[in-house]
């Protein structure tokens, strides 16, 4: 069975271009189109597609609210955002609304096809810039939580916080980790750049190596860490304080 797709974008030319390309994929079928968020919801209810591929900025109902409503009405449908915006004000609300993919409109056609297949298979797909925004928010949230836990622990032990200087010190992060030590130095460098939101092409430029070599390092570090994709790798790196 082909992956059924609903396209939602207020620009007819964008929808047309996507339709033409996706029609060349033997395992995909575009079953409908919508020019705004409300139409997307109505078409999704009628057509029951596997994937909704949509823009964020649409009339009547924007992409974020559309994704939020689709998650409630049709939780089995996977939403992929295809947009020109990668800032925090767009990425975080979209992820919270339940989108499974956040991609940029400059994505290569074949990469888009791969992303659709991966999302349909249950994997999250984030553009490196979007992943970087998510990492930043997660890291900030965890630092705040750790600081709150420190205050709570000290208060319980002493009845009040007596050592204010202690609380002013930066949070300590373990310098070594068995998982991190399993990676070569170059793999660690690649992982750090992934966590910063760089694409394979940008990493290649930064490290003065070929993009093919970067892909090899990414594949090896994912295998060693037991992770499915680069988004998980970035989250893992941030949560463990490696970057």
């Amino acid at each position: 069975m082909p992956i059924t797709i609903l396209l939602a974008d207020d620009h007819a030319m964008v929808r047309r271009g996507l339709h033409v390309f996706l029609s060349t994929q033997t395992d995909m079928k575009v079953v409908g189109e919508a020019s705004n968020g409300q139409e997307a919801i109505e078409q999704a209810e009628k057509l029951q597609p596997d994937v909704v591929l949509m823009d964020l900025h649409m009339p009547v109902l924007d992409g974020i609210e559309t994704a939020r409503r689709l998650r409630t009405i049709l939780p089995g449908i996977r939403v992929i955002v295809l947009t020109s915006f990668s800032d925090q004000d767009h990425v975080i609300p979209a992820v919270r609304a339940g989108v499974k993919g956040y991609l940029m409109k400059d994505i290569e056609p074949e990469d888009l096809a791969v992303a659709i297949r991966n999302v349909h298979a249950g994997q999250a797909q984030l553009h490196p810039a979007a992943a970087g925004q998510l990492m930043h928010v997660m890291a900030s949230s965890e630092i705040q939580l750790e600081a709150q836990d420190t205050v709570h622990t000290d208060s319980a032990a002493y009845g009040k916080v007596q050592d204010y200087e202690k609380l002013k010190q930066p949070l300590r992060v373990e310098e070594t980790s068995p998982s991190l030590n399993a990676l070569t130095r170059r793999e660690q460098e690649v992982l750090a750049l992934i966590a910063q939101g760089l694409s394979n092409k940008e990493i290649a430029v930064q490290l003065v190596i070929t993009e093919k070599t970067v892909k090899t390092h990414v594949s090896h570090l994912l295998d060693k860490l037991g992770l499915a994709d680069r988004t998980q790798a970035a989250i893992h790196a941030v949560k463990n304080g490696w970057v």
Side-chain angles (χ1 to χ4, degrees):
M1 292 291 290
I3 301 171
T4 54
I5 303 168
L6 171 65
L7 303 176
D9 195 295
D10 58 329
H11 293 95
M13 286 297 293
V14 173
R15 297 197 307 273
R16 179 61 178 167
L18 288 170
H19 198 148
V20 169
F21 168 69
L22 294 174
S23 295
T24 67
Q25 305 300 302
T26 57
D27 59 342
M28 298 180 192
K29 180 180 181 180
V30 177
V31 295
E33 298 183 13
S35 60
N36 61 63
Q38 186 59 46
E39 281 186 16
I41 292 174
E42 293 170 357
Q43 289 292 325
E45 290 182 305
K46 176 183 177 181
L47 301 170
Q48 300 284 313
D50 297 315
V51 174
V52 175
L53 182 63
M54 69 178 184
D55 191 11
L56 276 184
H57 285 205
M58 296 186 292
V60 185
L61 202 64
D62 66 32
I64 292 173
E65 183 58 30
T66 300
R68 187 177 293 114
R69 295 188 188 184
L70 284 173
R71 181 177 61 178
T72 301
I73 301 170
L74 300 164
I77 290 179
R78 293 177 169 84
V79 176
I80 299 176
V81 164
L82 188 61
T83 182
S84 302
F85 302 94
S86 60
D87 57 280
Q88 186 172 311
D89 291 339
H90 288 87
V91 174
I92 304 307
V95 172
R96 287 174 175 164
V99 305
K100 301 303 181 183
Y102 195 105
L103 309 173
M104 305 302 292
K105 286 187 173 179
D106 62 358
I107 188 172
E108 293 294 327
E110 291 302 326
D111 290 337
L112 174 60
V114 170
I116 291 174
R117 294 186 185 101
N118 288 341
V119 168
H120 180 253
Q123 298 179 28
Q125 294 288 297
L126 296 179
H127 183 275
Q133 294 290 354
L134 187 58
M135 297 306 98
H136 175 74
V137 171
M138 286 185 61
S140 299
S141 298
E142 290 192 1
I143 288 173
Q144 292 173 3
L145 287 173
E146 286 193 45
Q148 291 172 2
D149 288 343
T150 302
V151 173
H152 175 75
T153 302
D154 287 352
S155 297
Y158 302 107
K160 62 180 180 179
V161 179
Q162 296 180 332
D163 189 359
Y164 294 99
E165 292 303 316
K166 172 185 174 183
L167 299 179
K168 294 179 182 178
Q169 297 298 318
L171 296 174
R172 293 182 59 188
V173 177
E174 293 296 329
E175 294 183 357
T176 60
S177 165
S179 296
L180 182 61
N181 289 336
L183 305 181
T184 66
R185 182 172 181 178
R186 180 63 87 185
E187 289 165 354
Q188 291 179 27
E189 293 173 343
V190 170
L191 178 59
L193 294 174
I194 288 175
Q196 291 176 31
L198 273 66
S199 65
N200 286 346
K201 184 178 295 185
E202 291 169 330
I203 293 174
V205 173
Q206 185 84 5
L207 298 180
V208 196
I209 56 179
T210 67
E211 188 172 352
K212 182 178 180 180
T213 300
V214 173
K215 292 180 179 179
T216 299
H217 287 314
V218 172
S219 177
H220 288 169
L221 70 88
L222 290 177
D223 287 341
K224 290 179 180 180
L225 297 177
L227 302 173
D229 53 49
R230 59 190 295 128
T231 301
Q232 288 186 6
I235 295 173
H236 192 69
V238 172
K239 290 183 69 174
N240 285 281
W242 296 346
V243 294

